[in-house]
Structure formats: structure tokens, C-alpha cells
Amino acid sequence: MENFVVSARKYRPTGFEEVVGQEHITTTLKNAIDNNKLAQALLFCGPRGVGKTTCARIVARLINGFEERAENNALNIFELDAASNNSVEDIRSLIDQVRYPPQFGKFKVYIIDEVHMLSNAAFNAFLKTLEEPPPYAIFILATTEKHKVIPTILSRCQIFDFNRIQISDIANHLKKIAKHEGIPAEDEALHLISQKADGALRDALSIFDLMVTYASGKGVTFKDTLSNLHILDYDYYFKVIDSLLSQNHTQPLLLFDEVLKKGFDGHNFIVGLSEHLRNLLVAQDVRTVMLMEVPESVKKKYAEQAQSASPSLLLTWLNIANQCDINYKGSKNQRLSAELALMKMAHVGHVLNVQNGAFADPALAGLKKKLV
């Protein structure tokens, strides 16, 4: 237990080449350092777990020429958590430190995390130092909420916007770690973990550690990942669509009941169904297949099912599901809202046929004759 280190720390990048999914940031920073054109005030913005603090540490290390584990790092790199050190006194203390040149290396680097948490008074106290810092001082500010940073601070910084990391990039990174650790892992399971992480690599690594612990040496499987992360299997949606294509509302209702009995939220089911219908639409054209963020094996299933329904039918279903999603929280009988949406989908194809003049039902055909 004493020797265990979570993957997010164990595999924290030590160089720009190891940073995942932020090539536009790492290339710019590397060129700035190589050409001695690095600004003295940098602002790293972006969602949690995408590499802001990691890149800040790499910058601090490279401009001083330190090794990753060098003891001098502690003397030249100062990290301040603005969430708990957000007063004017904290900033004044930092400014007092800035006055003294570094004992080792060329630069003193100040990394201020969650900088948007500073009070307005603290921001104002920081302005002058940030605008005209000593030649040996570099300030790297990091925030998840750029809109909360006052404009006068923004105007004094070179701003770098970090992206959410693509699902495919996270999945590939997890695959490398699993291989390095000698842990068997199914591609579908790693893809599911990447989806659940919502673009944050740190979250993905935490989930991966959880699944490895659960597997206890047996390997990370898709089935176990579904169960532990409480995610609904793709197969449910494929079964629902197959039933809807046969204009049968009974089977979708039974499947929905099964989903609820397993403890899943009805709203999440409708949101997932909407996503499934969207994927079927994009699967109908080879040019848009790449827009689906699902494993390759699942893409083939989408491609097969997509051939069974017309774009107009899928779009109608998607509109019904979207309306149910919008109105779900305000409904007093939420289960009925979802069931009504499924029943509408089951029979909307029949209605479309009626509108197009294709009367399969004899009673409707007789009605048409009377109308004519």
C-alpha cells in the first residue's frame, strides 16, 4: 500500500512530447523556449485534467535546464493554490518573494493554480508586478474559468486555451499504460472509460485505476466497466431501434422497464437514445462516420442498422426524443413522458406513410377513397 502511486501521478508527463492532445500548446511553448521568446506572464485556460499544471511545470523545468527530479526545482518553482490563498496578504507575500533573484538557475517560476479564485483586491495588488516583473521572474496562471479573471489581468498575459482531450487520444494513452503495466484490457472498455472521463485525462486515469483494482489481475473488460461505471450498454439502444423499425411499441416499453429496474435514470435513457439516433444518421454517409466517437466494432453495428431506416424517419424519431428530453424534468409523470415518446416513434412511420399516400391499412385506404 505504501508503494502504490496513482496512474495520474506515476505517468505525469515530464516533457512536451508526452503531453496528450495539446499539440497546439506544446509546440508554441517549445518554440518560445528554444527561441528565447517566452512571455513573462502566461495564462493557461481549459477544463480540469487536461494538462495545464503539467505544462506549467515542464516550462519551469526547461527554462532553468533542470532534470525532472532535481532538488533545485523546489528553490526555483513556487506553486500557489489561489483557492485557499486568495487574499491581498497572500499576494503581497508572493510579491515580496519575487524581489529576490534565484539562487540556482536563471528564472524563478510562480505557478498560480485556480487564479480566478483570487479576490478583486488581490488581483489589483498583483497588477503592477504582473505587468513589469523582474527579468528573472515568470508567472504562469492556470484557471478552469477564464471568464472570472478580470480583464486587466487578461490583457497582461499571453493566453493559451487548452482543449478537451479527444476520446481516441485518451483511449490510446490508456492502451499504452495498460501494455506497460502488463494489464489485459479490452479496447471497448478503454473507450468507455475515455467517454466517461469527458475529455479529462486525469479523470480517465483515475477510472482506469479503479477498474484495474476491481479486476484484481484478471484484466479490464467491457462488461465489468459497464457495471462499475453504471453505463447502459449500446445493445439496449440497438434492440429498441430494431423494435421501432417493426412498428412494435410493446418491446421498446419492456426494454425501457428493464432499464429502469436496473437502476438507470429514465432521462439518461432518453438522452442516450437521442445520441444513438444521431449516430445512426451520421453512419448513413461514409464522410460523416468519423463523427461517431465509438469503438470500431460498434461503428460496424451502426452502419448495418443505419441501412434499415430512412433519414427522414430517423430525423423524426430524433425530434421526438429531443422534445421528450426538453420536457422531461418539468413533467409530473416522467415515466409516461418517456413511454409516450417510444410509442410515438413506434407508429410515426405509419403516419409518414399516410402522409405520403401509402395506405397499408385497408380502413385508411377506404377513408382516402371517401375523401377523394
Side-chain angles (χ1 to χ4, degrees):
M1 188 68 185
E2 293 178 2
N3 297 325
F4 178 73
V5 180
V6 295
S7 296
R9 288 181 57 200
K10 185 176 181 180
Y11 292 98
R12 182 187 284 273
T14 57
F16 286 134
E17 68 282 354
E18 297 176 24
V19 176
V20 178
Q22 306 295 349
E23 287 77 13
H24 64 297
I25 301 284
T26 55
T27 301
T28 304
L29 290 173
K30 188 175 185 303
N31 290 342
I33 294 170
D34 291 344
N35 298 316
N36 198 25
K37 292 183 178 180
L38 186 70
Q40 285 189 270
L42 310 174
L43 178 63
F44 291 173
C45 313
R48 70 185 190 282
V50 295
K52 298 185 296 297
T53 305
T54 294
C55 284
R57 290 177 180 175
I58 293 172
V59 169
R61 185 172 57 82
L62 291 181
I63 60 177
N64 280 304
F66 293 155
E67 295 297 326
E68 171 60 19
R69 303 295 180 188
E71 293 179 3
N72 294 338
N73 282 9
L75 299 174
N76 286 63
I77 303 172
F78 304 88
E79 292 193 31
L80 179 72
D81 177 22
S84 54
N85 300 278
N86 56 10
S87 67
V88 175
E89 288 73 21
D90 294 316
I91 293 300
R92 283 177 181 164
S93 175
L94 184 145
I95 292 170
D96 287 338
Q97 291 181 31
V98 174
R99 292 173 183 166
Y100 302 101
Q103 294 178 334
F104 299 94
K106 298 177 181 178
F107 299 96
K108 291 175 78 174
V109 182
Y110 296 87
I111 301 171
I112 306 178
D113 212 358
E114 301 300 336
V115 72
H116 65 274
M117 299 290 284
L118 289 178
S119 64
N120 280 334
F123 271 131
N124 291 326
F126 193 32
L127 284 176
K128 191 64 177 176
T129 304
L130 196 64
E131 186 173 15
E132 297 178 0
Y136 52 78
I138 302 288
F139 294 98
I140 304 178
L141 316 180
T143 178
T144 53
E145 300 183 56
K146 184 172 72 172
H147 61 281
K148 290 186 179 180
V149 180
I150 63 174
T152 46
I153 291 288
L154 294 175
S155 65
R156 287 166 170 78
C157 297
Q158 197 171 78
I159 300 173
F160 292 84
D161 288 304
F162 284 67
N163 296 329
R164 288 185 182 277
I165 303 174
Q166 296 292 318
I167 290 174
S168 56
D169 290 338
I170 295 177
N172 289 334
H173 188 66
L174 293 178
K175 192 173 183 178
K176 289 178 185 176
I177 291 175
K179 185 177 180 180
H180 185 267
E181 294 286 335
I183 299 169
E186 296 178 2
D187 288 345
E188 290 82 1
L190 297 181
H191 199 280
L192 202 61
I193 292 171
S194 305
Q195 279 185 312
K196 187 72 173 179
D198 193 28
L201 183 57
R202 184 173 61 226
D203 291 8
L205 290 170
S206 297
I207 298 171
F208 177 74
D209 284 345
L210 176 70
M211 294 310 307
V212 170
T213 304
Y214 176 82
S216 188
K218 298 178 183 177
V220 180
T221 65
F222 180 69
K223 184 179 179 180
D224 287 344
T225 306
L226 278 174
S227 175
N228 274 267
L229 300 184
H230 202 61
I231 298 173
L232 199 56
D233 195 348
Y234 296 112
D235 285 343
Y236 275 101
Y237 297 117
F238 282 110
K239 290 176 183 176
V240 168
I241 297 302
D242 284 339
S243 301
L244 293 176
L245 286 169
S246 63
Q247 297 187 358
N248 170 22
H249 69 260
T250 304
Q251 191 60 27
L253 293 181
L254 292 174
L255 286 168
F256 180 55
D257 180 64
E258 185 179 334
V259 167
L260 293 178
K261 284 179 178 177
K262 287 191 173 184
F264 291 97
D265 181 58
H267 196 185
N268 288 341
F269 171 81
I270 291 296
V271 171
L273 184 59
S274 299
E275 178 70 16
H276 186 87
L277 291 167
R278 176 259 184 195
N279 286 341
L280 287 174
L281 277 167
V282 300
Q284 291 188 327
D285 192 322
V286 291
R287 295 171 296 179
T288 54
V289 168
M290 57 177 286
L291 298 177
M292 284 192 293
E293 294 183 325
V294 296
E296 288 299 321
S297 58
V298 181
K299 280 184 181 179
K300 293 177 182 177
K301 289 185 178 180
Y302 274 112
E304 291 172 5
Q305 194 171 65
Q307 303 307 314
S308 304
S310 65
S312 59
L313 180 59
L314 290 175
L315 199 57
T316 304
W317 284 349
L318 183 57
N319 185 47
I320 293 171
N322 187 52
Q323 286 301 314
C324 181
D325 177 21
I326 293 170
N327 300 322
Y328 192 89
K329 286 188 177 180
S331 174
K332 290 185 178 180
N333 191 338
Q334 295 176 335
R335 175 167 182 160
L336 179 61
S337 295
E339 290 177 337
L340 183 60
L342 290 172
M343 287 187 278
K344 284 181 180 178
M345 291 180 201
H347 299 289
V348 74
H350 187 68
V351 174
L352 288 174
N353 288 337
V354 170
Q355 290 177 343
N356 293 330
F359 292 92
D361 191 322
L364 289 172
L367 177 61
K368 182 183 179 184
K369 290 179 181 178
K370 291 181 180 178
L371 292 173
V372 173

